[in-house]
Amino acid sequence: MAAAHFTLNTGARVPSVGLGTYKAAPGVVTDVVGAAVKAGYRHIDCAPLYKNEKEIGVALKKVLDDGVVRREDIFITSKIWCSDLAPEDVPSAIDSTLEDLQLDYIHWPFQVKKGTEISPENFVQPDIPKTWQAMEQLYDSGKARAIGVSNFSSNKLGDLLGVARVPPAVDQVECHLGWQQAKLRAFCRSNGVHLSAYAPLGRMKDVASNPVVSSIAESLGKTPAQIALRWGLQQGQSVLPKSANESRLKENIDLFDWSIPEELCAKLSEIKQAKQIKGDSFVHPQSVYKTYEELFDGEI
């Protein structure tokens, strides 16, 4: 059986299924988070970029005040955006997000001028080691129970591990049946870094129509989405599906009293691979990354 939690290299325990909130509309997200917590979710994945953290905070306060869950049982992941990666900006970026922060991530290995949007005239050479030192200070202060990165390739993660005093606990990346990240998963496993999967369903219409997935789902009496999520858990990674539909919220967390047999998992590994989230905004002749190969170090 898959674990309900994974233990990070800091000793913190992260729930294996979290709620993704990217593009969750501010007028909707408060109800969605409340319904998710009542359905059993104990990990909420956020970011200032998503422009809904204030509403998420309202929802969390309500479920805490109502006694639905205790604060120590909820893990909040937030992220530092590209415009706040200068070491001197890291503390204020954290202080402006959820007050009771438990996890924190650098978002992309890319930087723009503070207070600006992503466009060529605002590109800045990132100094990831210096940014990481500022994040280590957050960990030392107790403001974050773990610090991690997002969208780091094996090479970029290896470079950071080579200079980090506090090693990253997590690399949050795109990972699903259509982009299984075998090399990165193996690298993370061998270096004690937990892989957390955003977009774990990939393109849902592709998952649902895939004959291998649909056949396995039918044989186990589960939905294609459950097969995709359960596969992730069995690889040892946490998954962050998103939905505003209450029945799907419940379906997406109903993953713990069954498993995919090993021989069927082997069939899932044969699915054709194609990355879907390529970071188009970060690849440009004026960028530090001129090509997708440079951004992802050939892992694409």
Side-chain angles (χ1 to χ4, degrees), residues 7-86:
T7 301
L8 303 180
N9 58 21
T10 63
R13 299 205 318 155
V14 58
S16 56
V17 181
L19 176 70
T21 62
Y22 178 57
K23 290 189 175 179
V28 175
V29 72
T30 301
D31 290 339
V32 170
V33 170
V37 172
K38 291 173 183 176
Y41 289 77
R42 296 294 180 265
H43 180 187
I44 311 297
D45 181 64
C46 316
L49 174 71
Y50 305 167
K51 302 186 186 305
N52 55 18
E53 282 194 337
K54 182 179 289 187
E55 290 78 10
I56 292 170
V58 170
L60 291 172
K61 184 176 187 306
K62 179 170 175 52
V63 294
L64 292 170
D65 289 349
D66 291 348
V68 176
V69 68
R70 300 177 303 170
R71 177 64 187 93
E72 57 265 33
D73 294 329
I74 287 279
F75 273 71
I76 304 299
T77 299
S78 192
K79 308 174 188 76
I80 299 174
W81 184 233
C82 301
S83 57
D84 292 313
L85 290 188

Side-chain angles (χ1 to χ4, degrees), residues 43 61 72 95 121 154-155 179 207 265 290:
H43 180 187
K61 184 176 187 306
E72 57 265 33
D95 288 340
E121 67 272 15
S154 301
N155 283 353
W179 189 243
V207 172
C265 274
K290 307 295 190 291

Side-chain angles (χ1 to χ4, degrees), residues 10 24 33 46 79 97 105 119 121 124 133 138 148 161 165 167 172 185 189 202 216 225 227 238 243 247 294:
T10 63
V33 170
C46 316
K79 308 174 188 76
T97 196
Y105 296 82
S119 61
E121 67 272 15
V124 177
Q133 288 176 7
L138 290 174
L161 284 166
R165 174 175 57 84
Q172 189 188 112
R185 282 193 285 117
R189 189 178 301 115
I216 292 174
I227 296 301
S238 52
S243 178
S247 64
E294 289 181 359

Side-chain angles (χ1 to χ4, degrees), residues 245-257:
N245 180 285
E246 189 168 348
S247 64
R248 283 197 290 272
L249 284 173
K250 294 177 179 177
E251 174 188 306
N252 287 347
I253 204 170
D254 182 16
L255 304 172
F256 298 105
D257 59 354

Side-chain angles (χ1 to χ4, degrees), residues 102-224:
Q102 294 197 36
L103 297 174
D104 197 275
Y105 296 82
I106 295 176
H107 198 44
W108 285 85
F110 187 86
Q111 188 172 348
V112 296
K113 296 174 185 175
K114 185 172 178 60
T116 66
E117 301 296 324
I118 294 175
S119 61
E121 67 272 15
N122 297 325
F123 293 163
V124 177
Q125 175 74 39
D127 189 339
I128 297 301
K130 290 290 187 184
T131 300
W132 191 253
Q133 288 176 7
M135 304 235 348
E136 290 173 328
Q137 292 174 15
L138 290 174
Y139 177 72
D140 293 340
S141 74
K143 286 187 177 181
R145 293 184 63 188
I147 50 176
V149 297
S150 184
N151 297 308
F152 272 46
S153 66
S154 301
N155 283 353
K156 289 181 175 61
L157 186 56
D159 289 344
L160 180 56
L161 284 166
V163 299
R165 174 175 57 84
V166 178
V170 177
D171 190 3
Q172 189 188 112
V173 297
E174 175 191 359
C175 189
H176 47 78
L177 287 173
W179 189 243
Q180 297 185 15
Q181 298 264 41
K183 178 182 178 180
L184 180 60
R185 282 193 285 117
F187 183 85
C188 286
R189 189 178 301 115
S190 65
N191 286 277
V193 178
H194 175 70
L195 190 145
S196 188
Y198 69 73
L201 297 176
R203 291 191 179 95
M204 193 56 230
K205 64 179 182 180
D206 293 341
V207 172
S209 63
N210 185 284
V212 175
V213 178
S214 58
S215 173
I216 292 174
E218 184 176 357
S219 69
L220 296 178
K222 303 296 178 182
T223 67

Side-chain angles (χ1 to χ4, degrees), residues 282-299:
F282 308 117
V283 175
H284 189 275
Q286 292 176 240
S287 169
V288 63
Y289 306 115
K290 307 295 190 291
T291 65
Y292 294 114
E293 287 71 21
E294 289 181 359
L295 178 59
F296 294 103
D297 298 305
E299 296 175 21

